[in-house]
Amino acid sequence: MIIVLKSGAADAEVDDVCRRITAMGYAPHTIRGTLRTVIGAVGDDRGKDALLSLESLECVETVTPILKPYKLASREVRQEPTVITVGGVTIGGPAIVVMAGPCSVESRVQLLEAAAKVKAAGARVLRGGAFKPRTSPYAFQGLEDEGLKLLAEARRETGLPVVTEVMEPDKVDVVAEHADILQIGARNVQNFSLLRRVGEAGKPVLLKRGMATSIQEWLLSAEYILASGNPNVILCERGIRTFETATRYTLDLNAVPVVKRLSHLPIMVDPSHGTGHWEYVEAMAMAGVAAGADGLIIEVHPRPEEALSDGPQSLKPERFAALMEKVRRVARAVDRDA
Ligand code: PEP
Ligand code: MN
């Protein structure tokens, strides 16, 4: 249910409504907009009649059901876009934010070189995997805790906030100690215990779409994180499985305007995994920005031919710099800052 308060409702009134919602067995989520305050009451649908009685309170304008299965993620609950600020970088605002770096953290030299070069080209966030979800158990699995330390060192050196994947609930705390944004990978989009755990971690979450996840299922995954108390979720379209084999996945850019209509959460596009080939990354990066994405996440490696994972889709730093120039031009053409 959405409880819309009258404009000018006092803090004490907001608190009182929240107390009543809690007493009815629902979790209140207060969203303060520029004009009025809205409280989302989330919980079991069976008690919704009790919530309707809140309409008799002086400070309450309306009580209406949330029609979508995802509640806190929906535009029904919050019309204004969610804007997330992390390490001095604002995601979901007018500026396009580019996150870039290697697929995997491989060594100190590799990471620091990649970090310096992506920063010089205009990336605002450093990416790099320390825990890698690999299809084969014999493939490089990441430097794990050592990789996290290197990411923290790269942040100290460059000042760029860091995004890295967390694959297991038990590792959430240590990843959150070293990283600024926790990435949930495509393969874990419906790992509900992990989603709940990152919901409690207090750091923004980059939630990738699964390769076989509908937009509704993806938004329900975001809902797990939001309902666990973390409002800072960034969605990331990274390609879905189709019959097409010319590219690694099919980058579903339809998802960008669809998510913008259904949800207030920011959405990024990953043209690296979405195509699987470095030659196609620039075109789909530009297309993602033109479609309305709030940012991009791009794999860059100083020497892609030596990469321990995802070399074929990784850009050399010079190509990334050229891509950034083109992305800036597209961003300006669609009235975004870059
Ligand atoms: C990655 O970002 O390197 C990664 C493994 O992404 P995805 O989960 O989208 O496959
Ligand atoms: Mn990768």
Side-chain angles (χ1 to χ4, degrees):
M1 287 283 188
I2 307 169
I3 295 99
V4 180
L5 301 189
K6 289 191 179 142
S7 61
D11 286 351
E13 289 175 308
V14 177
D15 291 346
D16 176 52
V17 177
C18 288
R19 259 195 308 278
R20 289 169 190 266
I21 291 170
T22 308
M24 292 171 189
Y26 284 80
H29 293 262
T30 306
I31 297 147
R32 289 176 195 274
T34 40
L35 291 178
R36 52 182 82 230
T37 298
V38 169
I39 305 172
V42 182
D44 189 326
D45 274 353
R46 283 171 293 185
K48 63 182 188 299
D49 288 349
L51 289 169
L52 285 171
S53 69
L54 294 172
E55 226 168 40
S56 61
L57 294 175
E58 184 67 41
C59 64
V60 173
E61 179 97 48
T62 53
V63 179
T64 45
I66 308 170
L67 298 175
K68 291 282 191 290
Y70 42 87
K71 312 290 178 191
L72 301 171
S74 88
R75 280 266 181 201
E76 292 176 70
V77 166
R78 184 187 168 98
Q79 267 125 46
E80 295 156 44
T82 286
V83 177
I84 297 166
T85 300
V86 50
V89 177
T90 299
I91 300 161
I96 300 294
V97 172
V98 178
M99 307 182 177
C103 176
S104 300
V105 177
E106 298 168 2
S107 70
R108 187 166 180 275
V109 169
Q110 173 246 18
L111 184 66
L112 294 183
E113 182 177 349
K117 290 190 169 158
V118 300
K119 182 183 179 183
R124 305 291 312 282
V125 176
L126 175 65
R127 67 146 289 147
F131 297 94
K132 294 305 301 178
R134 303 306 301 278
T135 302
S136 163
Y138 308 120
F140 175 60
Q141 304 284 309
L143 296 184
E144 305 186 337
D145 295 73
E146 181 53 28
L148 294 178
K149 290 192 191 120
L150 294 174
L151 284 165
E153 181 180 347
R155 177 184 38 198
R156 283 196 299 278
E157 287 265 318
T158 59
L160 294 178
V162 161
V163 56
T164 197
E165 178 160 355
V166 56
M167 290 167 48
E168 290 167 43
D170 285 354
K171 286 289 183 185
V172 169
D173 288 336
V174 67
V175 175
E177 256 170 52
H178 292 83
D180 302 278
I181 304 174
L182 308 178
Q183 176 173 326
I184 298 294
R187 291 155 190 83
N188 271 318
V189 68
Q190 290 191 315
N191 181 339
F192 302 117
S193 51
L194 181 63
L195 298 177
R196 282 207 187 88
R197 196 59 199 77
V198 295
E200 294 158 1
K203 291 257 163 124
V205 176
L206 180 79
L207 178 64
K208 288 200 154 192
R209 181 180 182 180
M211 57 195 82
T213 307
S214 69
I215 291 171
Q216 176 159 308
E217 288 164 342
W218 184 22
L219 291 174
L220 281 165
S221 292
E223 188 77 14
Y224 270 89
I225 302 170
L226 300 171
S228 304
N230 187 343
N232 297 321
V233 176
I234 306 154
L235 299 165
C236 179
E237 164 60 43
R238 49 76 73 207
I240 54 174
R241 274 261 158 83
T242 67
F243 57 82
E244 184 54 71
T245 54
T247 51
R248 186 176 177 193
Y249 295 98
T250 296
L251 188 64
D252 179 18
L253 289 183
N254 293 351
V256 177
V258 172
V259 161
K260 284 280 170 202
R261 187 166 76 85
L262 298 176
S263 179
H264 51 85
L265 296 172
I267 178 166
M268 319 255 311
V269 165
D270 173 348
S272 305
H273 293 86
T275 61
H277 298 271
W278 68 265
E279 299 99 306
Y280 308 139
V281 170
E282 181 180 280
M284 298 318 285
M286 290 193 290
V289 172
D294 297 297
L296 300 166
I297 181 162
I298 297 180
E299 289 186 340
V300 178
H301 193 293
R303 284 161 296 282
E305 63 287 358
E306 293 172 15
L308 298 180
S309 63
D310 288 350
Q313 69 195 33
S314 298
L315 295 180
K316 292 181 178 160
E318 337 46 286
R319 289 195 201 277
F320 175 66
L323 170 151
M324 287 296 288
E325 278 306 316
K326 291 204 175 175
V327 161
R328 281 190 198 101
R329 284 161 58 193
V330 175
R332 284 194 290 271
V334 294
D335 298 328
R336 301 291 292 255
D337 302 342

